[in-house]
Amino acid sequence: MTAFFLPRAADDEQAERLYEALAEFAGCEPAPPGQRVRCIRFVQDGVRWTAEVGEELRGERTTATLRRGELVERTEVLASATRVLAVYPGEPHVVVTDAQPITGAPSEWANPFSARPEEVELFAAG
């Protein structure tokens, strides 16, 4: 398991302040240590997305077609230049990215956005 961190934070103290500030920006409560989310996987519009703190959003879309009587599956890998800054637990989870209005970077994703995860990975406790 990975220890808690946030991109752009120089040290643990700054990471805590940034985590609280991003929660306020997103309109949600910061999770206590031990319940902080590192990564979620969720499905949106038929694409299985991964939102992992510090990483760009990435997805996979699998399609099946019938070709000459055989079912052929094809997986398309999708990526977004949007980097995940924090994920907050809840119903639904809330994902904050580095896109507008936090930076000037445009994104096809709202910031923050909500997702109902199929899988959740937490940061290591303490």
Side-chain angles (χ1 to χ4, degrees):
M1 289 180 89
T2 305
F4 176 72
F5 79 96
L6 288 185
R8 301 180 181 186
D11 56 34
D12 291 348
E13 190 176 305
Q14 187 180 22
E16 289 297 327
R17 285 194 311 270
L18 184 57
Y19 187 70
E20 288 183 17
L22 290 173
E24 187 175 322
F25 163 74
C28 60
E29 290 295 315
Q35 295 178 25
R36 293 181 177 170
V37 178
R38 183 177 75 83
C39 178
I40 62 172
R41 290 178 184 80
F42 62 97
V43 175
Q44 183 169 316
D45 299 327
V47 178
R48 183 172 160 87
W49 288 97
T50 299
E52 183 174 351
V53 173
E55 301 293 327
E56 292 179 348
L57 284 164
R58 58 191 187 276
E60 288 186 350
R61 176 185 296 133
T62 301
T63 55
T65 55
L66 202 55
R67 190 173 299 149
R68 295 190 198 122
E70 271 188 59
L71 193 61
V72 177
E73 282 191 350
R74 196 187 95 180
T75 300
E76 177 184 7
V77 176
L78 305 171
S80 170
T82 304
R83 187 169 305 280
V84 176
L85 297 180
V87 180
Y88 296 93
E91 282 299 319
H93 281 51
V94 176
V95 179
V96 179
T97 70
D98 65 353
Q100 293 174 344
I102 290 180
T103 67
S107 175
E108 62 275 16
W109 296 86
N111 189 25
F113 70 87
S114 300
R116 297 195 184 282
E118 294 181 328
E119 289 179 47
V120 177
E121 291 178 31
L122 300 178
F123 282 105

